[in-house]
Amino acid sequence: MLHTTQLYQHVPETRWPIVYSPRYNITFMGLEKLHPFDAGKWGKVINFLKEEKLLSDSMLVEAREASEEDLLVVHTRRYLNELKGNGHERDFMDDKRVYIMDVYNRHIYPGDRFAKQAIRRKVELEWGTEDDEYLDKVERNIKKSLQEHLPDVVVYNAGTDILEGDRLGGLSISPAGIVKRDELVFRMVRGRRVPILMVTSGGYQKRTARIIADSILNLFGLGLIGPESPSVSAQNSDTLLLPPAVP
């Protein structure tokens, strides 16, 4: 039985499972152009995909902002208040149904030692880690994670702050390495017929948008994403979200 909320909406079969809103792009009287981060990268990703003839506006699902009343349909007020510490790690600290695998530069993340306890599989990297080591660790640890805990759904936080030159991430992953990482994750998860939700997350260099678009094009070309065919059930659908994710 549906709850009273403005968030339920019918999505026509002609639309792709790509959720986007122009409001994701941050503008402030042109001052955003002076900032070192690309605050409009999500709009650029969509424009790149349009230029490649992969998407049109009619194929997108436009996101709707959830009000507090909408969120209270499925969450308690206490839970919503707790969303204000270290996002998902604190939120699911004692929830054994949730398995968190995290790959990160161990010198900068996570600063919250208590929240770190919630990470079931910690993949810690050194400053300047490059493609081969990174991709090997991602592949081996995803395989082990799926053996330990076969999920009902995977939420894939596909950050690009691992890109070489990112002053926050401190790693040295190439654009091709990021595209390959996304391919690895989708191949392994879809190979087990588990639905996957990908959020594009952090990473704000000026070239990030092009890399994300190239990765989506690669996933489409390999048949790992796309509109649902009659033979694919809703349980096995995959969705891409193009907003920032909650850290």
Side-chain angles (χ1 to χ4, degrees):
M1 183 175 180
L2 297 181
H3 296 277
T4 301
T5 173
Q6 299 300 310
L7 294 183
Y8 292 116
Q9 58 177 309
H10 172 68
V11 178
E13 293 183 0
T14 55
R15 302 205 175 205
W16 278 43
I18 296 183
V19 181
Y20 169 73
S21 170
R23 289 181 294 172
Y24 295 157
N25 304 298
I26 302 170
T27 59
F28 185 72
M29 300 175 65
L31 293 178
E32 70 280 356
K33 297 177 181 177
L34 303 177
H35 199 282
F37 290 166
D38 187 355
K41 73 172 185 177
W42 295 282
K44 292 178 182 177
V45 172
I46 293 297
N47 288 335
F48 284 137
L49 295 176
K50 288 179 180 177
E51 289 172 4
E52 297 288 345
K53 309 300 182 184
L54 183 69
L55 292 177
S56 64
D57 287 333
S58 63
M59 298 165 67
L60 298 171
V61 177
E62 182 165 357
R64 297 181 182 180
E65 184 175 1
S67 68
E68 183 170 306
E69 291 305 312
D70 289 322
L71 296 175
L72 286 171
V73 170
V74 291
H75 299 299
T76 64
R77 191 172 298 278
R78 178 181 176 183
Y79 172 78
L80 294 180
N81 289 336
E82 290 175 350
L83 289 177
K84 298 172 183 178
N86 190 329
H88 63 282
E89 288 169 3
R90 279 183 174 264
D91 298 338
F92 299 113
M93 179 64 68
D94 299 314
D95 193 335
K96 300 304 181 185
R97 299 171 301 172
V98 178
Y99 184 104
I100 298 174
M101 170 182 153
D102 212 339
V103 186
Y104 53 87
N105 180 339
R106 73 182 187 88
H107 299 286
I108 62 172
Y109 181 89
D112 187 335
R113 291 188 178 182
F114 177 74
K116 187 176 180 178
Q117 299 175 57
I119 304 174
R120 302 269 285 277
R121 180 164 290 275
K122 304 175 183 67
V123 185
E124 300 190 326
L125 306 174
E126 296 293 335
W127 292 109
T129 297
E130 298 182 347
D131 287 13
D132 289 346
E133 178 184 354
Y134 175 77
L135 292 171
D136 177 67
K137 288 186 174 179
V138 167
E139 184 172 15
R140 285 191 291 110
N141 283 280
I142 289 178
K143 186 177 296 184
K144 291 178 180 178
S145 295
L146 291 172
Q147 289 171 348
E148 292 175 5
H149 183 98
L150 186 62
D152 295 314
V153 64
V154 168
V155 179
Y156 169 41
N157 191 350
T160 49
D161 46 5
I162 62 172
L163 180 64
E164 56 194 2
D166 190 292
R167 288 178 287 176
L168 293 180
L171 303 179
S172 296
I173 310 305
S174 71
I178 291 176
V179 172
K180 186 63 177 178
R181 175 204 60 184
D182 293 347
E183 179 184 329
L184 276 174
V185 173
F186 269 76
R187 281 192 186 280
M188 297 180 76
V189 174
R190 291 214 61 179
R192 289 163 175 76
R193 299 191 64 79
V194 175
I196 180 170
L197 170 68
M198 171 179 168
V199 292
T200 52
S201 193
Y204 301 91
Q205 294 186 63
K206 301 299 183 184
R207 55 187 179 146
T208 296
R210 179 71 253 182
I211 296 169
I212 295 172
D214 287 342
S215 180
I216 293 172
L217 289 166
N218 181 58
L219 294 173
F220 173 73
L222 294 170
L224 294 172
I225 62 170
E228 284 189 337
S229 65
S231 62
V232 179
S233 70
Q235 289 184 333
N236 293 309
S237 62
D238 307 301
T239 303
L240 305 179
L241 291 179
L242 294 177
V246 177

